[in-house]
Amino acid sequence: MLIGALAVQLIAYGLARSLNASPFTTAMFAGTVNDLCWIGGYRALSGSRGWPSLQIRFAPVDRRVVAASAAGALALIVFIMAVAEILILFGIKITGTPNGGITPSDLHQLPISILFIVIIGPFAEELMFRGLLLDWLKQRIAAWQAAVLISLLFASLHSHSFGNGVAGWLALADRFLLGIATSFLALRYKSLRPSFILHAVNNGVAAIAIVLWH
């Protein structure tokens, strides 16, 4: 399913490029096609493979857990910002990492980003990383080890510019810590809803911040 989704994503990317779509449109289109393939593939295979349905995967949880998950996303952002400020105080230069067209650059692109980066993307990624992959790994190794491995994979698969120095490593650390936090929530509450909320809020705040920064 993952390989098939990647193949379809590459086709979508090539199609968008052939139509001279902007980098933002190309990234949104190809990424969303991939995410929808994940969601559709899971739904199609869940019955025959004995996987929990989407409704069970994202089962409701206590509202306080939802609120805490959203607060956790904000706390993670503040933590990364604080680390960056501390490094700057020590004379370490940090330049912004290029977004490669994935995040919005103006208010006109923000609504599309909210739909794809804040809703569809986190839904699909939580389903695959904290759903299927985490379930599979924790049957073979300890749950905490599975969480660490999944978080490393999650962080490494997101595009980062290590040629950009410290900023690239901060971005990687942010994704890794996000993976750890969402894995903890998925294991603790047996539902992907809290991890989805944390992931979505994190992406949403980042998208809005980038637009305001520009």
Side-chain angles (χ1 to χ4, degrees), residues 53-164:
S53 66
L54 292 178
Q55 290 77 10
I56 295 176
R57 282 288 190 189
F58 293 88
V61 295
D62 190 283
R63 292 182 180 178
R64 291 172 295 182
V65 175
V66 172
S69 300
L74 299 177
L76 175 58
I77 292 171
V78 171
F79 174 75
I80 294 295
M81 292 176 60
V83 171
E85 290 298 323
I86 291 172
L87 293 176
I88 292 173
L89 287 176
F90 278 94
I92 299 175
K93 186 177 180 180
I94 301 177
T95 57
T97 54
N99 64 41
I102 297 175
T103 48
S105 58
D106 58 58
L107 287 173
H108 297 292
Q109 295 176 343
L110 189 57
I112 298 177
S113 294
I114 296 299
L115 176 61
F116 298 135
I117 297 177
V118 182
I119 300 176
I120 297 176
F123 187 95
E125 290 182 354
E126 291 309 309
L127 180 63
M128 299 308 296
F129 286 97
R130 263 63 68 173
L132 275 184
L133 293 178
L134 185 57
D135 280 356
W136 180 78
L137 265 182
K138 72 180 184 179
Q139 294 174 6
R140 291 157 176 78
I141 58 178
W144 70 269
Q145 294 174 324
V148 170
L149 287 177
I150 288 297
S151 300
L152 286 172
L153 177 64
F154 174 74
S156 64
L157 288 180
H158 284 73
S159 177
H160 301 290
S161 176
F162 297 109
N164 232 26

Side-chain angles (χ1 to χ4, degrees), residues 201-212:
V201 171
N202 182 276
N203 284 10
V205 172
I208 293 172
I210 288 172
V211 170
L212 295 180

